[in-house]
Amino acid sequence: MEATEVKMRQNEIIQPLLTDLYQLTMAYAYWKSGKVDDTAVFDLFFRKNPFSGEFTIFAGLEQCIKFLFNFRYSDSDITYLKQILPPYVEEEFFRYLKNLTVEDVTLFAIPEGSVVFPRVPLLRVEGPLIVVQLLETTFLNLINYSSLIATNAARFRMAAGKRIKLLEFGLRRAQGPDGGLSASKYAYLGGFDGTSNVLAGKLFHIPVKGTHAHAYISSFSTLADLKTRDLAVYDQNGSDLIESRDFVETCIKRRDQLATLLGILLQEANDGELAAFISYAMAFPDGFTALVDTYEVLSWSGETPSQRYISEPRLHYRSGLLNFCAVAVALSDFGYRPIGIRLDSGDLAYLSNRARDAFRKIAEELTIPWFAQLSIVASNDINEETILSLNDQHHQIDCFGIGTHLVTCQKQPALGCVYKLVEINKQPKIKLSEDLEKVTIPGRKDIYRLYGSDGHALIDLMQKHGEPPPLAGNRVLCRHPFLESKRAYVNPARVEPLLHIYWQNGRCCQPLPSMEQLRHRVQHQLGTIRQDHKRNLNPTPYKVSVSDSLYSYLHKLWLQNAPIGELS
Amino acid sequence: MEATEVKMRQNEIIQPLLTDLYQLTMAYAYWKSGKVDDTAVFDLFFRKNPFSGEFTIFAGLEQCIKFLFNFRYSDSDITYLKQILPPYVEEEFFRYLKNLTVEDVTLFAIPEGSVVFPRVPLLRVEGPLIVVQLLETTFLNLINYSSLIATNAARFRMAAGKRIKLLEFGLRRAQGPDGGLSASKYAYLGGFDGTSNVLAGKLFHIPVKGTHAHAYISSFSTLADLKTRDLAVYDQNGSDLIESRDFVETCIKRRDQLATLLGILLQEANDGELAAFISYAMAFPDGFTALVDTYEVLSWSGETPSQRYISEPRLHYRSGLLNFCAVAVALSDFGYRPIGIRLDSGDLAYLSNRARDAFRKIAEELTIPWFAQLSIVASNDINEETILSLNDQHHQIDCFGIGTHLVTCQKQPALGCVYKLVEINKQPKIKLSEDLEKVTIPGRKDIYRLYGSDGHALIDLMQKHGEPPPLAGNRVLCRHPFLESKRAYVNPARVEPLLHIYWQNGRCCQPLPSMEQLRHRVQHQLGTIRQDHKRNLNPTPYKVSVSDSLYSYLHKLWLQNAPIGELS
């Protein structure tokens, strides 16, 4: 049991009071109205895929389960609630809250890491009305952003392709400390390869990556700033240390030689930068990546950036490139293998191609074959469209470091999950709205995904709970939930029930997958979705349908509930 | 001391590992290069005001100071770092980290809650190079979002005017649990009146507000769902309880009467909704606010919302309005005073005017004067522009509940604060860039705000540290940092130094203002900024200048550092 408690620990701010006050005022009003024994079913779902896309990655479920596991009002919570609720709220209600548990809650959910679509319940939450109502805000908070960022990450992954490494660099621009942690975690789940966020690495076992910043380079002015010059030489087999030699001298010699080879004037190369690269390489001889700055010497700048001339980002970049190559070749002389460069400004496609040209030339001329494959990281304000556009330009980038656009989901910073009552005391409830999009599908529902014979998902089908499940090889009528004329017979090769019980009788009743399993699930799930649903430009909507029986049930209820207009 | 520790407590995820890995790899490379005793000065600033505006509210300073107070690497941090850094990183470095403190760091800052402008350092951080470098990411994380949301909140406040209440309702759409907490806290600081987030209320002593959700209404189907009917009557003086009477009966009678008065047919009113209102009123007789739903009976909906007809949102709204008024008048009969309604859909200006008409009519006909002043809350996807547009339409809304647009800062979800090295070992550093916007102002700087005789701020002036401060009544030359021809003599009526020491010798050396003091500071500071800098449409940029001496210093360094192009 103690092991479970450790496993179920989470950030202490995820607690029952992390909710909207109206959940508690409603709880009191329900309690006061004698609805303590009422039971309810709520669906948690979203209405529209984010980022103008046609799919969403569901994430945040594990956090919801941990929230349930830890759900109890503390004495200090009760004391606080007594302060903020009106004085006439009965003492007995606070005792009720203090003893309230989530033992009678049953949580059905689609597995975390699944590809999901609008209207389909991600969670179906059943239990005492008051208790399930009290879970609303926290569930929404835990799922909305997690799913949004996982979806965003998955989209970046698709844009970049499988070969390219994707690193999340967004902590400094994230929406608060936990915004940063959630971003790192769910970006990894959605398909990133690592993060710069050390705490995220520690807490969630995510690979942590990083190089150095411009400040590191600025902190050196001349080669005289180098206080140590010697570096241990590895032998040709790369295993044993032989001796220490003057590394700085080798770097300078190599730079003289490479300047000619690369056609860069020595005067173009900055000595402070070389000193910085040398010192960093001496600290991380096996992990040397250099930030190669660009400085546009040919621009005449007016007051605003839009007025500046655009031309080849030439000189300063050439300094960085030459200095990097000098240190990298010197490392090779000493038996080490550097990693590569990071570009953080300028025309990334152009610069990556020029850098690759230089690497290839050196590989050939100096017979260092791996030099041609040195890694090129790009990290300047990258979004999904930048990557797609770079792809068109045939860049030579191996890795993108992505910050602001990933973590703040700039393109659409919120996923609009909602939590709607669909049944009370076994009576179905429908929410009507002027927008068809906002009309809810009433009642407890079972959800199936129907697959075609090629393994791709064809359609999601919602049925009234208890209807016989669709069977592989049997034709089933799938209807648009609202438009009478839109329907199709589907003959699935495989049928997958989407909702599973995750919480019942006060216990989590599924094994919670590891982060690696979740990552794998995301990519596997994306593989089951047709390409036209996933493409960036004008993707085809995936169909979500209802059974014939649910269609009739829904429309009967709709008519019963809709007031009749009277024109005069 | 213990009291200080309690006061300085903060969310445990704000810790030294909440940083980018490269800060730690740089720390090792600095350490390995013998730069342990190097000293540095970093400026933290932003380059562009958010939301197409011309001002920013600075927030997050207290969190930075608490971070300093609690800064130490734990044994478990060191163990983790040993795992992720290469095996050849020296043991001695980890001992260095373990013993590392922020005792030698000096932090200068502009007071939290100030109005601030681009390029001006919000923080000037001085101390050992390694240590001040290690603070970068966490400081940026703590300041970026806090300042962004405080600025957003201040903009909403200006759009709404002083009379209107503003409540933050964004927890469910916030970027993670702490995103929600930060949003609630800094929205309050920026000028909101309260939040729905209970935990934020508990942790930060912010007023907490809330009513009920649609689910509450849905959970009642008929008047038979009301299990209690009696409510205690208050006597005319509103102090003593007299007796309990049948409240439901009074509500029904009042509804019959008001239907005629308001010209609403009884058949238009939904009994389930009335039951829900009655039960909520019985739970909160002194705090009754009702969610008045709208349902557009006259729209013929196609598949997408854009295809639907727009017409008067008539019937369902009329149900809610009639039911609310019935319960509210009944409450008045029983000696209570309800609060009002919440509109969460439909045409808010139109609906608020119609509701106000109804309230006024009842106030007059039934001689209940305060009925005309019942509160109208609006809460459907409100942003700054919605409020400005509603203002033009002469709405009757008293309070806005604002969620997604406030907490995610949809209009611009990140403030781009940066942390730049400006001095090392007493030598100034400049960062050059193709964008003038990205060029840094080198060296330690003192910052002054110069005020005119009408009390408004005229200009901010950066000087080299140690230059004699500008004096009130004395003309001072203020120059554009980059454009030679742009300069002005300014004769300030008052001069305010902006930077103050907040941390020195391991201690916080300023009293940290309370939340109420910070709120007050924001509004007071905004009062010192000319209206044209603050307006929503095409605001005038506020000027940030450098002294003549800093101008020369900056440009000399620039030329020294800029490589000379060579065209061929």
Side-chain angles (χ1 to χ4, degrees):
Chain A
M1 189 56 187
E2 209 176 279
T4 313
E5 266 162 27
V6 169
K7 214 180 126 199
M8 288 291 185
R9 230 179 249 162
Q10 68 186 149
N11 184 338
E12 62 184 12
I13 67 171
I14 304 173
Q15 50 165 285
L17 287 200
L18 187 73
T19 190
D20 291 308
L21 180 63
Y22 77 4
Q23 309 294 3
L24 288 148
T25 55
M26 282 193 279
Y28 179 62
Y30 283 138
W31 180 86
K32 183 88 177 134
S33 315
K35 291 172 95 67
V36 169
D37 297 323
D38 281 21
T39 59
V41 181
F42 281 82
D43 281 353
L44 187 149
F45 60 98
F46 60 90
R47 296 173 179 134
K48 208 172 162 308
N49 289 300
F51 313 122
S52 313
E54 290 297 348
F55 73 92
T56 299
I57 303 293
F58 171 46
L61 176 59
E62 183 182 312
Q63 292 197 80
C64 292
I65 291 164
K66 289 185 174 174
F67 171 61
L68 287 177
F69 185 88
N70 296 299
F71 191 100
R72 52 197 63 89
Y73 292 97
S74 69
D75 290 335
S76 123
D77 292 345
I78 300 293
T79 306
Y80 178 67
L81 290 175
K82 283 183 185 173
Q83 280 168 37
I84 60 169
L85 289 172
Y88 48 75
V89 168
E90 295 172 35
E91 185 61 31
E92 183 60 27
F93 173 68
F94 293 109
R95 272 195 295 275
Y96 167 80
L97 276 191
K98 185 74 187 84
N99 296 323
L100 185 147
T101 71
V102 294
E103 271 211 351
D104 298 327
V105 172
T106 306
L107 174 69
F108 292 81
I110 296 179
E112 185 154 9
S114 298
V115 174
V116 290
F117 301 99
R119 292 190 188 286
V120 172
L122 310 175
L123 306 184
R124 189 176 82 209
V125 192
E126 308 181 357
L129 170 63
I130 297 180
V131 183
V132 292
Q133 178 77 67
L134 283 168
L135 302 173
E136 172 176 13
T137 306
T138 324
F139 276 178
L140 287 172
N141 178 279
L142 295 176
I143 287 173
N144 265 323
Y145 181 59
S146 309
S147 300
L148 187 73
I149 194 102
T151 308
N152 203 12
R155 295 180 63 89
F156 273 99
R157 166 55 65 206
M158 290 193 311
K162 286 190 179 164
R163 194 187 61 85
I164 302 242
K165 281 221 176 313
L166 292 176
L167 302 176
E168 177 270 314
F169 282 179
L171 177 58
R172 62 188 59 199
R173 301 287 166 86
Q175 301 205 341
D178 191 77
L181 284 177
S182 306
S184 306
K185 178 175 174 181
Y186 292 103
Y188 187 63
L189 184 147
F192 270 53
D193 297 294
T195 177
S196 64
N197 182 341
V198 185
L199 187 58
K202 186 180 178 195
L203 294 178
F204 311 127
H205 313 292
I206 301 174
V208 192
K209 304 283 176 188
T211 55
H212 58 89
H214 181 80
Y216 189 83
I217 298 168
S218 305
S219 78
F220 290 81
S221 298
T222 70
L223 290 166
D225 288 340
L226 292 168
K227 285 170 193 153
T228 50
R229 301 177 63 96
D230 285 359
L231 180 66
V233 181
Y234 268 65
D235 77 1
Q236 300 300 21
N237 306 320
S239 53
D240 295 319
L241 248 70
I242 308 179
E243 50 169 341
S244 278
R245 285 210 322 253
D246 187 331
F247 183 65
V248 180
E249 198 191 317
T250 309
C251 290
I252 294 171
K253 277 190 190 152
R254 282 301 194 180
R255 185 167 73 170
D256 291 349
Q257 175 196 11
L258 292 170
T260 318
L261 183 67
L262 299 176
I264 298 176
L265 298 175
L266 270 179
Q267 78 197 45
E268 298 181 51
N270 182 297
D271 278 356
E273 185 183 59
L274 181 65
F277 287 180
I278 290 174
S279 78
Y280 201 79
M282 289 172 76
F284 296 101
D286 266 340
F288 176 55
T289 305
L291 171 62
V292 169
D293 266 315
T294 62
Y295 177 69
E296 173 52 279
V297 292
L298 294 182
S299 73
W300 261 241
S301 295
E303 193 173 9
T304 67
S306 64
Q307 292 170 324
R308 70 197 159 87
Y309 290 66
I310 305 295
S311 62
E312 183 183 334
R314 215 165 154 252
L315 263 198
H316 212 74
Y317 164 68
R318 289 152 66 91
S319 167
L321 187 61
L322 177 59
N323 282 332
F324 166 75
C325 290
V327 176
V329 172
L331 280 172
S332 161
D333 295 337
F334 275 60
Y336 301 98
R337 193 159 158 173
I339 292 178
I341 60 171
R342 177 161 74 94
L343 299 168
D344 193 40
S345 52
D347 179 332
L348 299 173
Y350 174 83
L351 294 173
S352 68
N353 282 310
R354 291 299 74 74
R356 184 68 67 206
D357 291 345
F359 297 163
R360 285 183 180 144
K361 198 162 190 180
I362 291 168
E364 194 171 319
E365 299 280 334
L366 276 66
T367 337
I368 314 174
W370 52 258
F371 215 94
Q373 274 89 52
L374 284 177
S375 168
I376 302 176
V377 184
S379 61
N380 180 26
D381 211 23
I382 311 274
N383 61 26
E384 203 183 326
E385 279 65 35
T386 320
I387 296 179
L388 292 170
S389 152
L390 284 169
N391 290 348
D392 290 342
Q393 298 167 66
H394 305 291
H395 63 81
Q396 285 287 337
I397 296 161
D398 305 289
C399 173
F400 289 105
I402 300 171
T404 314
H405 289 282
L406 176 67
V407 305
T408 67
C409 298
Q410 197 131 3
K411 204 167 163 186
Q412 181 181 325
L415 177 66
C417 276
V418 294
Y419 186 82
K420 294 292 174 193
L421 181 69
V422 293
E423 192 180 293
I424 184 155
N425 300 327
K426 307 213 181 294
Q427 295 303 306
K429 282 288 170 181
I430 186 169
K431 173 164 166 44
L432 302 181
S433 166
E434 306 163 40
D435 293 348
L436 268 192
E437 224 177 42
K438 291 193 174 179
V439 173
T440 59
I441 316 280
R444 290 183 82 196
K445 294 170 291 290
D446 298 326
I447 321 291
Y448 301 93
R449 183 159 296 171
L450 311 187
Y451 292 88
S453 50
D454 66 352
H456 281 141
L458 295 171
I459 196 165
D460 282 6
L461 175 65
M462 298 191 247
Q463 298 197 150
K464 284 175 68 176
H465 178 62
E467 279 190 68
L471 295 174
N474 281 20
R475 228 170 56 148
V476 55
L477 182 62
C478 298
R479 304 194 62 155
H480 186 287
F482 305 120
L483 300 180
E484 204 174 0
S485 62
K486 295 208 172 188
R487 57 215 166 132
Y489 284 107
V490 178
N491 192 341
R494 184 163 74 84
V495 173
E496 182 192 14
L498 293 189
L499 288 175
H500 303 270
I501 299 194
Y502 275 83
W503 181 270
Q504 198 168 36
N505 302 322
R507 297 174 59 174
C508 174
C509 35
Q510 298 275 345
L512 296 178
S514 69
M515 181 56 97
E516 292 308 319
Q517 289 169 321
L518 291 173
R519 267 165 71 73
H520 183 262
R521 180 174 181 85
V522 170
Q523 296 309 318
H524 177 264
Q525 280 267 309
L526 282 169
T528 65
I529 304 302
R530 274 201 335 256
Q531 184 53 32
D532 59 311
H533 300 309
K534 294 182 289 187
R535 69 178 171 226
N536 179 273
L537 193 67
N538 297 328
T540 318
Y542 176 88
K543 288 182 180 50
V544 172
S545 65
V546 298
S547 67
D548 199 42
S549 165
L550 180 53
Y551 181 90
S552 311
Y553 182 71
L554 153 66
H555 286 262
K556 201 176 114 197
L557 260 170
W558 194 341
L559 283 178
Q560 276 171 8
N561 282 270
I564 302 176
E566 186 152 316
L567 296 173
S568 56
Chain B
M1 190 57 185
E2 207 177 282
T4 312
E5 265 162 29
V6 170
K7 214 180 128 199
M8 287 292 185
R9 229 179 251 162
Q10 69 186 149
N11 185 340
E12 61 183 12
I13 66 171
I14 304 174
Q15 49 164 287
L17 288 200
L18 187 73
T19 190
D20 292 308
L21 180 63
Y22 77 4
Q23 310 293 2
L24 288 148
T25 55
M26 283 194 278
Y28 179 62
Y30 284 138
W31 180 85
K32 184 90 177 133
S33 316
K35 291 173 94 66
V36 168
D37 296 324
D38 281 21
T39 58
V41 181
F42 281 83
D43 281 353
L44 188 149
F45 60 97
F46 59 91
R47 296 173 179 134
K48 207 171 164 311
N49 290 301
F51 313 123
S52 314
E54 290 296 346
F55 73 92
T56 299
I57 303 293
F58 171 47
L61 176 59
E62 183 181 312
Q63 291 197 79
C64 293
I65 291 164
K66 289 184 175 174
F67 171 60
L68 288 176
F69 185 88
N70 296 299
F71 191 100
R72 53 196 62 88
Y73 292 97
S74 69
D75 290 334
S76 122
D77 292 344
I78 300 293
T79 306
Y80 177 68
L81 290 175
K82 284 183 185 172
Q83 281 169 34
I84 59 168
L85 289 172
Y88 48 74
V89 168
E90 296 173 34
E91 186 60 31
E92 184 61 27
F93 172 68
F94 293 110
R95 272 195 294 275
Y96 166 80
L97 276 190
K98 184 74 187 86
N99 296 322
L100 186 147
T101 71
V102 294
E103 271 210 351
D104 298 327
V105 172
T106 305
L107 174 69
F108 292 81
I110 296 179
E112 185 155 7
S114 297
V115 175
V116 290
F117 302 99
R119 292 191 188 286
V120 173
L122 310 175
L123 306 184
R124 190 176 82 209
V125 191
E126 309 181 358
L129 171 63
I130 298 181
V131 184
V132 292
Q133 179 78 66
L134 283 169
L135 303 173
E136 172 176 12
T137 307
T138 323
F139 276 178
L140 287 172
N141 178 279
L142 295 176
I143 287 173
N144 264 325
Y145 182 59
S146 308
S147 300
L148 187 72
I149 195 102
T151 308
N152 203 12
R155 294 180 64 88
F156 273 100
R157 166 55 65 207
M158 290 195 310
K162 289 190 178 162
R163 192 187 62 83
I164 300 241
K165 282 221 176 314
L166 292 176
L167 302 177
E168 178 269 313
F169 282 178
L171 178 58
R172 62 188 60 199
R173 302 287 166 86
Q175 300 203 342
D178 190 76
L181 283 177
S182 305
S184 306
K185 179 176 174 182
Y186 292 104
Y188 187 63
L189 184 147
F192 270 54
D193 297 295
T195 177
S196 64
N197 181 341
V198 184
L199 188 58
K202 186 180 178 194
L203 295 177
F204 312 126
H205 313 292
I206 300 173
V208 193
K209 304 283 176 189
T211 55
H212 58 90
H214 182 79
Y216 190 83
I217 298 168
S218 305
S219 78
F220 291 80
S221 298
T222 69
L223 289 166
D225 288 339
L226 293 167
K227 287 172 193 154
T228 51
R229 301 177 62 97
D230 284 358
L231 180 66
V233 181
Y234 269 64
D235 77 0
Q236 300 299 21
N237 306 319
S239 52
D240 295 319
L241 248 72
I242 306 179
E243 51 169 340
S244 279
R245 285 211 322 253
D246 186 330
F247 183 64
V248 180
E249 196 191 320
T250 309
C251 290
I252 295 170
K253 275 191 193 153
R254 281 301 193 179
R255 185 167 73 168
D256 292 348
Q257 176 196 11
L258 292 171
T260 317
L261 183 66
L262 300 176
I264 298 175
L265 298 175
L266 270 179
Q267 77 198 47
E268 298 182 49
N270 181 298
D271 278 355
E273 185 183 57
L274 181 65
F277 287 179
I278 290 174
S279 78
Y280 202 80
M282 289 171 77
F284 297 101
D286 266 339
F288 177 55
T289 306
L291 171 63
V292 169
D293 267 315
T294 61
Y295 177 71
E296 172 53 280
V297 292
L298 294 182
S299 72
W300 261 242
S301 297
E303 193 171 7
T304 66
S306 64
Q307 293 171 324
R308 70 197 157 86
Y309 291 65
I310 306 294
S311 61
E312 182 182 335
R314 211 164 158 252
L315 263 199
H316 212 73
Y317 163 69
R318 289 153 66 92
S319 167
L321 187 61
L322 177 60
N323 282 331
F324 165 76
C325 290
V327 176
V329 172
L331 280 172
S332 161
D333 295 337
F334 275 60
Y336 301 98
R337 194 158 158 174
I339 292 178
I341 60 171
R342 176 161 75 93
L343 299 169
D344 193 40
S345 54
D347 179 333
L348 298 173
Y350 173 84
L351 294 174
S352 69
N353 282 311
R354 290 300 75 71
R356 184 68 67 207
D357 291 346
F359 297 162
R360 286 181 179 145
K361 198 162 191 180
I362 291 168
E364 193 171 322
E365 299 281 333
L366 276 66
T367 338
I368 314 174
W370 52 258
F371 215 93
Q373 275 88 51
L374 284 176
S375 170
I376 302 176
V377 183
S379 61
N380 180 28
D381 211 23
I382 310 274
N383 61 24
E384 203 182 326
E385 280 65 35
T386 319
I387 295 179
L388 293 171
S389 152
L390 284 169
N391 290 348
D392 290 342
Q393 299 169 64
H394 305 291
H395 63 80
Q396 285 286 336
I397 296 161
D398 305 288
C399 173
F400 289 106
I402 301 171
T404 313
H405 289 282
L406 176 68
V407 304
T408 68
C409 298
Q410 196 132 6
K411 204 168 164 186
Q412 180 181 327
L415 177 65
C417 277
V418 294
Y419 187 82
K420 294 292 173 191
L421 181 69
V422 294
E423 193 181 290
I424 185 155
N425 299 328
K426 306 215 179 296
Q427 295 302 307
K429 283 287 170 182
I430 186 168
K431 174 166 166 43
L432 302 181
S433 166
E434 307 162 39
D435 292 350
L436 268 192
E437 225 177 41
K438 290 192 175 180
V439 173
T440 59
I441 315 281
R444 291 183 81 197
K445 294 170 291 292
D446 297 327
I447 321 291
Y448 301 94
R449 183 159 295 170
L450 313 187
Y451 292 89
S453 52
D454 65 353
H456 281 141
L458 296 171
I459 196 165
D460 281 6
L461 175 65
M462 297 192 249
Q463 299 197 149
K464 284 174 66 178
H465 178 60
E467 279 191 69
L471 295 174
N474 282 21
R475 229 170 56 149
V476 55
L477 181 63
C478 297
R479 303 193 62 156
H480 186 286
F482 305 120
L483 301 181
E484 204 174 0
S485 62
K486 295 208 170 186
R487 55 213 168 134
Y489 284 107
V490 178
N491 193 340
R494 183 163 75 85
V495 173
E496 182 192 12
L498 293 189
L499 288 175
H500 303 270
I501 299 194
Y502 275 82
W503 182 270
Q504 197 169 36
N505 301 322
R507 296 174 58 174
C508 173
C509 33
Q510 298 275 346
L512 295 177
S514 69
M515 181 56 97
E516 291 308 318
Q517 288 169 322
L518 292 172
R519 268 165 70 73
H520 183 261
R521 180 174 181 86
V522 170
Q523 296 309 318
H524 177 264
Q525 280 267 310
L526 283 168
T528 66
I529 306 300
R530 274 201 334 255
Q531 184 53 31
D532 59 312
H533 301 308
K534 294 182 290 189
R535 68 180 171 226
N536 180 271
L537 193 66
N538 297 328
T540 318
Y542 177 88
K543 288 181 180 50
V544 172
S545 65
V546 298
S547 68
D548 198 41
S549 165
L550 180 54
Y551 180 89
S552 310
Y553 182 71
L554 153 67
H555 285 262
K556 202 176 113 198
L557 260 169
W558 193 341
L559 283 178
Q560 278 171 8
N561 282 270
I564 302 177
E566 187 154 315
L567 295 175
S568 55

